[in-house]
């Protein structure tokens, strides 16, 4: 059903997909039920000879039940979605791994920069290097990132990671991901950020540790 999404490559991709499938089915079934009920009402209560439309004050228990029973069901399904999202949210947003390479991702009109720590593994030291437009990461390793913007709000989006996070000027937003498949993937901006927003692409290169080290050495 969610086949328009590419195969996930992060360890939390399947959790996001499960959650989206749940929302998809709950909203889908409700939508069909409500539309059929609406259609039924349009036909059953259409204009008839000699019958005048009446205003009903809805002050009886029976008429209130028409509102309160559906509201009760909506609330139950809402809580179901809420309960399922809690574990996904915790995994991605709260239980950030303590270990892993740090990369600072900076969005600007209209591209992405990636600042890597040098050999000392610490950002903002003399041996840092910056890659314009290309983010390289070693496969099967945790990458911790800080998202920053120098101008307007952008959104860092990699469909294969199932990761989409707003980038807000004046803030440094932490996050993480890991990968299980080597390849080149598109990084897009998912927030309308100006005239060339649709051209704001970068690329994510997931490589073996060896290839990543060779690339990093070359950049330095
Ligand atoms: Cu943007």
């Amino acid at each position: 059903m969610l086949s328009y999404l590419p195969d996930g490559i992060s360890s939390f991709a399947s959790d996001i997909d499960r959650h989206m499938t749940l929302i998809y089915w709950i909203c889908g079934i409700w939508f069909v039920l409500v539309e059929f009920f609406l259609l039924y009402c349009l036909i059953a209560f259409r204009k008839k000879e000699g019958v005048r439309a009446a205003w009903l004050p809805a002050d009886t228990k029976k008429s209130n039940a028409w509102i309160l029973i559906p509201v009760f069901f909506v609330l139950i399904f809402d809580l179901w979605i809420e309960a399922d999202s809690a574990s996904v949210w915790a995994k991605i947003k709260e239980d950030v791994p303590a270990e892993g390479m740090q990369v600072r991702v900076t969005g600007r009109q209209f591209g992405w920069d990636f600042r890597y720590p040098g050999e000392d593994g610490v950002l903002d030291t003399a041996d840092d290097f910056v890659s314009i437009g290309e983010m390289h990461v070693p496969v099967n390793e945790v990458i911790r990132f800080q998202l920053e913007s120098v101008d307007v709000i952008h959104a860092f989006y990699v469909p294969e990671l199932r990761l989409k996070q707003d980038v807000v000027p004046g803030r440094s937003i932490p996050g993480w991901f890991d990968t299980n498949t080597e390849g080149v993937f598109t990084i897009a901006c998912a927030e309308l950020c100006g005239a060339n927003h649709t051209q704001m692409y970068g690329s994510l290169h997931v490589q073996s540790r060896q290839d990543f080290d060779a690339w990093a050495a070359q950049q330095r």
Side-chain angles (χ1 to χ4, degrees):
M1 275 303 147
L2 297 163
S3 54
Y4 56 85
L5 280 172
D7 288 344
I9 61 162
S10 66
S11 63
F12 49 71
S14 58
D15 299 277
I16 294 280
D17 286 355
R18 187 199 71 236
H19 190 57
M20 283 178 69
T21 305
L22 178 73
I23 295 171
Y24 177 92
W25 280 109
I26 288 176
C27 294
I29 290 169
W30 271 104
F31 175 76
V32 171
L33 285 178
V34 168
E35 292 306 305
F36 270 101
F37 181 66
L38 181 67
L39 209 62
Y40 162 78
C41 289
L42 285 174
I43 295 164
F45 304 109
R46 67 189 184 279
K47 186 181 176 187
K48 290 190 187 93
E49 275 305 313
V51 180
R52 278 181 64 97
W55 180 73
L56 304 171
D59 56 359
T60 62
K61 273 188 179 162
K62 199 182 165 193
S63 53
N64 280 322
W66 277 97
I67 306 293
L68 294 176
I69 291 172
V71 165
F72 174 76
F73 280 108
V74 168
L75 190 66
I76 294 296
F77 282 104
D78 204 24
L79 289 173
W80 185 6
I81 293 172
E82 202 62 37
D84 189 67
S85 75
S87 63
V88 185
W89 182 264
K91 189 172 186 176
I92 299 170
K93 294 287 183 186
E94 288 164 9
D95 307 332
V96 177
E99 296 292 311
M101 187 173 69
Q102 282 272 15
V103 183
R104 184 176 298 130
V105 180
T106 305
R108 60 182 158 69
Q109 291 171 313
F110 295 94
W112 301 100
D113 298 342
F114 305 94
R115 190 180 187 91
Y116 287 81
E119 279 168 359
D120 58 3
V122 183
L123 276 173
D124 299 318
T125 53
D127 63 348
D128 288 3
F129 64 90
V130 177
S131 168
I132 310 286
E134 282 187 19
M135 183 181 202
H136 289 242
V137 298
V139 71
N140 293 319
E141 290 187 29
V142 169
I143 310 301
R144 293 177 302 155
F145 57 79
Q146 298 167 4
L147 287 175
E148 295 179 7
S149 168
V150 296
D151 40 43
V152 299
I153 299 177
H154 301 280
F156 183 75
Y157 180 38
V158 183
E160 286 84 356
L161 295 177
R162 303 292 191 273
L163 179 69
K164 188 192 275 177
Q165 171 63 56
D166 272 7
V167 190
V168 183
R171 287 183 60 186
S172 182
I173 298 173
W176 73 281
F177 65 85
D178 55 8
T179 55
N180 56 28
T181 310
E182 289 180 31
V184 181
F185 307 95
T186 300
I187 299 169
C189 177
E191 185 71 59
L192 185 58
C193 60
N196 288 332
H197 158 70
T198 55
Q199 304 304 316
M200 188 168 165
Y201 286 119
S203 53
L204 174 68
H205 300 248
V206 182
Q207 305 172 298
S208 65
R209 201 0 128 170
Q210 213 177 6
D211 288 352
F212 173 78
D213 286 342
W215 174 80
Q218 199 182 34
Q219 296 296 311
R220 281 180 214 127

